[in-house]
Amino acid sequence: MPRVALIPGDGIGKEVIREARRVLESVPVSAGFDLVEWDLGADRFLRDGVTITDDEFRTLSDEYDAILLGALGDPRVPGNEHARDILLGLRFRLDLFVNFRPCTLLSPEFSPLKSVAGKVDLEIFRENTEGVYTGMGGVLRQGTPDEVAIEEDVNTYRGVERIIRAAFEYAERRSRPKVTLVDKANAMRWAGGLWRRVFAEVSAGYPAIATDMMYVDAMAMDLVRRPEHYSVIVTSNLFGDIVSDLAAELTGGLGTAPSANLHPGRHALFEPVHGSAPDIAGRGKANPMGAIRCVALLLDHFGETDAAGSVESAVHAALEEGWSTPDLGGGRTTEEVGEWIARRVAGGAGSAG
Ligand code: NAD
Ligand code: IPM
Ligand code: MN
């Protein structure tokens, strides 16, 4: 039985993971899952002064088959150090180099675009262990008018190659027509040069898949103009972070978007794309669909494709039948939506209330 660590984290992370757990416990699967809840987040940090220990990293790495995380970030920790240690710590120390963020239009009525000409159906492969997220850099003369702050943008051949290859392997496996590289090679010549060279090298091995290259500013514009033009997008850590919030909003809102942080064959951590949303936390307003769709990605990861499909269909059914939270114009609470979806995947027809 696969062992899954649940890390609800902070703010609405706790609310949405409660519903994701409910769905995971309701969906019929062959072996079931051993779910263990972990107390990592701002509460623990403020209480004990500890973010996450080396032992905990080791346990999560060696004794678990997957992790399902809510969100980390709390106004009581303005420096965000616990989120850096836990979330970025897990991404870096488990070497989860693929941040996979699928964006599929749930229903045109939930897109802010006036007209969505075609379907939005794309996947972002965000590099997840390098870029400006490594913490390399430093500060000089802090707090004075002469302060200098340097945040290095780290791009290694190995890191760039493996994320681009993962994107092409996925495109081939899922018969996706095109892979688009997103960069800023016009301004960032060294990093851009490396990404473009490696992209050409890797793509040569996949002659049936079309390729395209876009500067990130033009991509932000074009995703709004004609999102149906894109299928697989591969990009660096920071650009992937930004583009994935934009693409999520186009498809139904940040509250509905799932993601997977992967080291294929080794580790997997699933988390909704959204954060801890302090502005709505604790009020039953959070949309649990992003977290619940992470359950679908997790089931798919364990080869439970039918169960994954039933979770995804239950989310669509909930929307069709008006079971949504205020972000989508609905009047249901986080729990009501979670319970409805859980009943649906368990084989019930949904709620009558
Ligand atoms: P956010 O994603 O938390 O919120 C952005 C906006 O979207 C807010 O208006 C929020 O109410 C809304 N929103 C987000 N998720 C929603 C949901 N499920 N249902 C309904 N509305 C939702 O981003 P932010 O405000 O920039 O960040 C808040 C905190 O979360 C910060 O500390 C940030 O660092 C952290 N964060 C963590 C993660 C993560 O753990 N993976 C991701 C993003 C941000
Ligand atoms: C995300 C988040 C994180 C990121 C933050 C919380 C560090 O925005 O998962 O998208 O930038 O990767
Ligand atoms: Mn983000």
Side-chain angles (χ1 to χ4, degrees), residues 283-302:
R283 289 153 56 194
K285 287 186 164 186
N287 189 335
M289 289 174 173
I292 290 171
R293 296 174 87 201
C294 285
V295 169
L297 293 180
L298 181 146
L299 289 164
D300 201 41
H301 172 76
F302 286 109

Side-chain angles (χ1 to χ4, degrees), residues 37 50 61 76 82 94 119 121 123 141 254 290-291 293 329 337 350 352-353:
E37 207 147 305
V50 176
S61 161
R76 295 170 299 166
H82 71 300
L94 302 186
K119 278 179 62 142
D121 184 18
E123 297 89 7
R141 307 184 200 100
L254 200 48
R293 296 174 87 201
V337 172

Side-chain angles (χ1 to χ4, degrees), residues 91 101 126 133 240-242 244-245 254 273-275:
R91 288 180 186 169
R101 299 189 155 184
R126 166 186 178 191
Y133 280 70
D241 180 41
I242 297 166
S244 61
D245 268 28
L254 200 48
V273 173
H274 65 75

Side-chain angles (χ1 to χ4, degrees), residues 17 43-44 46 49-51 72 110 117 123 133 178 185 205 213 226 234 270 279 317 329 332 343 346:
I17 291 300
D43 288 343
R44 193 246 189 137
L46 292 167
V50 176
T51 55
L72 290 156
F110 298 123
E123 297 89 7
Y133 280 70
K178 182 168 73 169
M213 289 185 264
R226 45 169 194 176
V234 63
F270 302 87
D279 55 338
R332 306 294 180 180
R343 264 199 293 277

Side-chain angles (χ1 to χ4, degrees), residues 21-353:
R21 175 177 197 152
R22 196 192 302 281
V23 172
L24 187 52
E25 285 175 336
S26 304
V27 69
V29 284
S30 39
F33 291 95
D34 177 17
L35 306 178
V36 182
E37 207 147 305
W38 281 60
D39 173 26
L40 296 174
D43 288 343
R44 193 246 189 137
F45 177 53
L46 292 167
R47 191 179 64 235
D48 304 337
V50 176
T51 55
I52 179 170
T53 66
D54 286 345
D55 264 356
E56 287 168 334
F57 270 120
R58 237 186 325 273
T59 308
L60 285 168
S61 161
D62 300 347
E63 297 176 21
Y64 283 85
D65 302 294
I67 301 170
L68 178 58
L69 184 145
L72 290 156
D74 188 300
R76 295 170 299 166
V77 188
N80 230 13
E81 49 270 39
H82 71 300
R84 238 186 338 268
D85 282 5
I86 301 166
L87 179 64
L88 300 185
L90 284 165
R91 288 180 186 169
F92 278 77
R93 293 173 71 166
L94 302 186
D95 200 24
L96 305 169
F97 67 92
V98 176
N99 193 323
F100 173 72
R101 299 189 155 184
C103 301
T104 330
L105 186 62
L106 286 168
S107 163
E109 77 181 280
F110 298 123
S111 178
L113 299 182
K114 269 197 295 230
S115 67
V116 183
K119 278 179 62 142
V120 189
D121 184 18
L122 57 89
E123 297 89 7
I124 296 167
F125 278 73
R126 166 186 178 191
E127 202 293 319
N128 213 26
T129 54
E130 303 191 339
V132 295
Y133 280 70
T134 64
M136 286 178 72
V139 68
L140 256 184
R141 307 184 200 100
Q142 197 172 32
T144 75
D146 298 317
E147 180 161 344
V148 180
I150 295 179
E151 209 78 56
E152 296 286 3
D153 183 13
V154 179
N155 298 266
T156 68
Y157 179 87
R158 198 185 296 278
V160 171
E161 204 268 348
R162 66 184 183 172
I163 188 67
I164 292 176
R165 189 166 295 285
F168 277 95
E169 281 172 357
Y170 174 89
E172 185 174 59
R173 204 166 55 245
R174 301 286 175 115
S175 306
R176 306 294 276 141
K178 182 168 73 169
V179 179
T180 303
L181 171 69
V182 174
D183 65 13
K184 188 65 190 168
N186 49 353
M188 300 163 71
R189 56 196 284 224
W190 306 118
L194 173 63
W195 278 83
R196 290 195 167 209
R197 206 169 349 103
V198 177
F199 187 73
E201 241 172 69
V202 174
S203 66
Y206 299 85
I209 301 171
T211 59
D212 198 2
M213 289 185 264
M214 289 285 284
Y215 299 132
V216 64
D217 48 351
M219 185 61 165
M221 174 278 294
D222 217 33
L223 267 180
V224 174
R225 186 171 63 141
R226 45 169 194 176
E228 70 281 2
H229 193 68
Y230 297 96
S231 47
V232 175
I233 290 171
V234 63
T235 189
S236 65
N237 208 339
L238 181 61
F239 296 156
D241 180 41
I242 297 166
V243 166
S244 61
D245 268 28
L246 171 57
E249 197 55 40
L250 296 182
T251 58
L254 200 48
T256 65
S259 79
N261 299 256
L262 307 165
H263 188 122
R266 270 202 229 163
H267 297 294
L269 181 157
F270 302 87
E271 51 162 344
V273 173
H274 65 75
S276 56
D279 55 338
I280 57 165
R283 289 153 56 194
K285 287 186 164 186
N287 189 335
M289 289 174 173
I292 290 171
R293 296 174 87 201
C294 285
V295 169
L297 293 180
L298 181 146
L299 289 164
D300 201 41
H301 172 76
F302 286 109
E304 299 280 359
T305 36
D306 290 347
S310 83
V311 170
E312 197 58 31
S313 321
V315 169
H316 286 254
L319 290 171
E320 273 160 28
E321 300 193 22
W323 286 84
S324 65
T325 39
D327 54 311
L328 297 183
R332 306 294 180 180
T333 65
T334 310
E335 191 176 349
E336 284 171 337
V337 172
E339 281 178 346
W340 193 93
I341 295 172
R343 264 199 293 277
R344 181 77 170 212
V345 298
S351 163

